Amino acid sequence: MQPLRITNATRVLAEAQDEYYALAILDEVIDGTPHMTSVWEPTPKELAMLQEGGAVRLSIIGTLHPPVMITTQPAPKI
């Protein structure tokens, strides 16, 4: 997956860390709970795998699993 620039990004994580992708995020509060949202796009190979019944895999660095949420969004209108 490739991270995309999210609309109205409020900051960029790991911008100076060459070993990681720079990750644009949108900080927002939803129903009183802070959220950090990023947008990812599957590569052509990953998209083909998903279309063949594959799944999305989430890896968390470390030993504590924070609350996460994975959703989809429509393609951008051009």
Side-chain angles (χ1 to χ4, degrees), residues 44-55:
K45 181 179 178 182
E46 290 167 329
L47 186 56
M49 190 181 303
L50 290 170
Q51 290 172 330
E52 292 170 1

Side-chain angles (χ1 to χ4, degrees), residues 28-67:
E28 53 190 337
V29 177
I30 300 172
D31 295 330
T33 302
H35 286 69
M36 294 185 299
T37 302
S38 60
V39 176
W40 296 77
E41 179 178 57
T43 64
K45 181 179 178 182
E46 290 167 329
L47 186 56
M49 190 181 303
L50 290 170
Q51 290 172 330
E52 292 170 1
V56 174
R57 188 168 105 175
L58 172 67
S59 297
I60 304 294
I61 297 172
T63 58
L64 297 175
H65 201 301

Side-chain angles (χ1 to χ4, degrees), residues 4-18:
L4 301 179
R5 180 96 180 158
I6 189 168
T7 303
N8 302 324
T10 50
R11 59 187 165 131
V12 179
L13 305 178
E15 198 165 20
Q17 294 176 286
D18 293 338

